[in-house]
Amino acid sequence: PKTDIVFLKVHKSASSTVMNILFRFGEMHNLTFAFPIGGGNQLFYPHHFLAKFVQGFSTRSPRRFNILCHHMRFLQPEVQKVVSSSAVYFSILRNPVQLMESSFSYYRGTSAFSRARSLEEFLSQPYLYYNPTDSNRHYARNLMTFDFGFNPDGEVSAERVQLMLKAIEASFDLLLISEYFDESMVLLKEMLCWDLDSVVSFPLNIRDSSTKSRLSDTIVEKIKEWNRLDWEIYTHFNRTFWERIDRDIGRERMRREVQALRERQEELARTCLQGMGSVAPKDIKDSSLRPLQHGSAKILGYNLKQGLDKETESMCRRLVTPELQYSSALYKKQFAQKHP
């Protein structure tokens, strides 16, 4: 199994669920994480990543970490200073249309969104609300482009798009697609030589559907146009994703693998969860399992079954622990005060 991993956690793209998978694997195998200084969940985002943002890194005795997966704005030469040269790099993409709808709900407080009453209103005259010099502008335009380290306001010429796609291809071994999450997990498992249980998960940091809005065709086209660079990245890597499946696995085997993954997930849901699925934040009984609520989105969580034996309870708890709580527990474990 591969243990040196860089995951670029792209915003609002099922990346919290992927992070849970990495946290669990890292914890089970006693691996080290490249944590932000002082803990927390972002590596000084939205600044480009620098090695010095990582707790325990020093230029005098460069230390390598196994897993780098907290929010960062990608800058490969700096990333290479904190992980081994054989590390596997991967990230996840989401359709920019759904991504923007989610971002608008989640980041309502940002300067570009706060004055628009609705996404429609924002898109009708984006430059009335959007200022390219604002420090949090990236949540409102080409968010994936920004997370990959590029300029979200760059011109959309065929040449520039090609350079961007080539740069991503040169840096990353695999790009997952959140709309095909199960297929993505099968590809990830193959690439990392992990077993099925290592990539099983319950969806984390997901919104209650009551806070999701349906988008008209006109709005969809406006979103694509406004996020043109993201759209180019997404359509290109969505295509190569399926080409890779055809080349490396084949559709028939993929179908079987996905089925096995889903069956295992259902089995774990029956074992671990009260009522088999996610619940509204107010209905989560154990406050340590309550995810952070953000913007106007309602973030769902889980209730564990009562009376589980110790080992099962601990396995189930790992699957449903929200990102911030899990990250903080692993940070404390990794940097426990070593008493003489």
Side-chain angles (χ1 to χ4, degrees), residues 47 70 76 146 175 189 195 202 215 220 227 233 241 278 291:
H47 298 286
H70 286 73
Q76 191 161 18
F146 182 87
L175 285 158
K189 169 173 88 74
D195 63 8
F202 296 142
L215 304 172
V220 167
N227 297 281
I233 290 175
F241 178 84
S278 49

Side-chain angles (χ1 to χ4, degrees), residues 20 24 27-28 202 268 271-272 289 304-305 307-321 326 333:
N20 176 272
R24 279 168 20 223
E27 186 180 17
M28 298 287 289
F202 296 142
L268 284 168
T271 303
C272 295
L289 296 180
L304 289 180
K305 272 190 178 158
L308 297 170
D309 66 75
K310 205 170 165 196
E311 200 178 322
T312 310
E313 206 266 350
S314 129
M315 183 255 314
C316 292
R317 182 169 287 274
R318 286 193 184 101
L319 280 161
V320 299
T321 299
Y326 208 153
K333 193 170 157 186

Side-chain angles (χ1 to χ4, degrees), residues 22-23 95 120 207 234:
L22 295 174
F23 282 166
N95 185 317
E120 285 79 351
R207 270 191 303 158
Y234 179 77

Side-chain angles (χ1 to χ4, degrees), residues 14 17-18 21 92 176-190 196 199-203 241-242 245 249 254-263 265-266:
T17 309
V18 177
I21 287 169
I92 188 164
L176 310 174
I177 303 286
S178 65
E179 284 78 14
Y180 303 105
F181 192 80
D182 294 342
E183 289 83 353
S184 293
M185 290 305 102
V186 172
L187 282 181
L188 185 65
K189 169 173 88 74
E190 294 287 301
L196 182 70
V199 297
V200 169
S201 61
F202 296 142
F241 178 84
W242 291 100
I245 287 173
I249 293 186
M254 176 54 89
R255 203 185 54 71
R256 290 198 306 273
E257 293 265 0
V258 164
Q259 195 179 342
L261 181 68
R262 287 176 183 163
E263 282 169 4
Q265 205 157 298
E266 280 168 22

Side-chain angles (χ1 to χ4, degrees), residues 7-15 45-46 48 71-75 90-103 107 113 130 136-154 160 164-165 167-168 172 175-179 223-224 226-238:
F7 171 53
L8 176 63
K9 185 176 192 293
V10 170
H11 285 80
K12 314 308 326 137
S13 305
S15 54
Y45 186 88
H48 273 105
H71 270 310
M72 63 171 161
R73 189 172 182 207
F74 191 65
L75 187 61
F90 77 99
S91 185
I92 188 164
L93 303 173
R94 183 182 184 186
N95 185 317
V97 175
Q98 279 72 49
L99 179 71
M100 181 154 202
E101 188 275 327
S102 177
S103 191
Y107 301 114
F113 288 153
Y130 179 85
N136 57 15
R137 77 188 191 290
H138 52 282
Y139 291 119
R141 186 179 202 190
N142 289 315
L143 182 49
M144 294 191 287
T145 301
F146 182 87
D147 286 353
F148 276 94
F150 306 106
N151 175 9
D153 296 302
R160 193 166 178 279
M164 202 168 65
L165 296 175
I168 295 173
F172 288 86
L175 285 158
L176 310 174
I177 303 286
S178 65
E179 284 78 14
I223 292 177
K224 286 182 193 173
W226 176 245
N227 297 281
R228 193 79 228 168
L229 293 170
D230 271 11
W231 185 250
E232 295 288 347
I233 290 175
Y234 179 77
T235 48
H236 174 81
F237 288 108
N238 187 18

Side-chain angles (χ1 to χ4, degrees), residues 23-92:
F23 282 166
R24 279 168 20 223
F25 188 86
E27 186 180 17
M28 298 287 289
H29 296 83
N30 233 353
L31 304 178
T32 54
F33 289 88
F35 282 106
I37 284 178
N41 63 327
Q42 301 200 337
L43 289 149
F44 289 79
Y45 186 88
H47 298 286
H48 273 105
F49 175 80
L50 296 174
K52 68 177 185 189
F53 296 161
V54 172
Q55 175 98 35
F57 175 82
S58 104
T59 43
R60 290 188 302 283
S61 58
R63 159 172 190 205
R64 301 280 191 239
F65 298 86
N66 297 118
I67 299 177
L68 172 60
C69 63
H70 286 73
H71 270 310
M72 63 171 161
R73 189 172 182 207
F74 191 65
L75 187 61
Q76 191 161 18
E78 288 290 317
V79 168
Q80 286 167 332
K81 294 176 184 175
V82 299
V83 295
S84 97
S85 56
S86 61
V88 175
Y89 287 69
F90 77 99
S91 185
I92 188 164

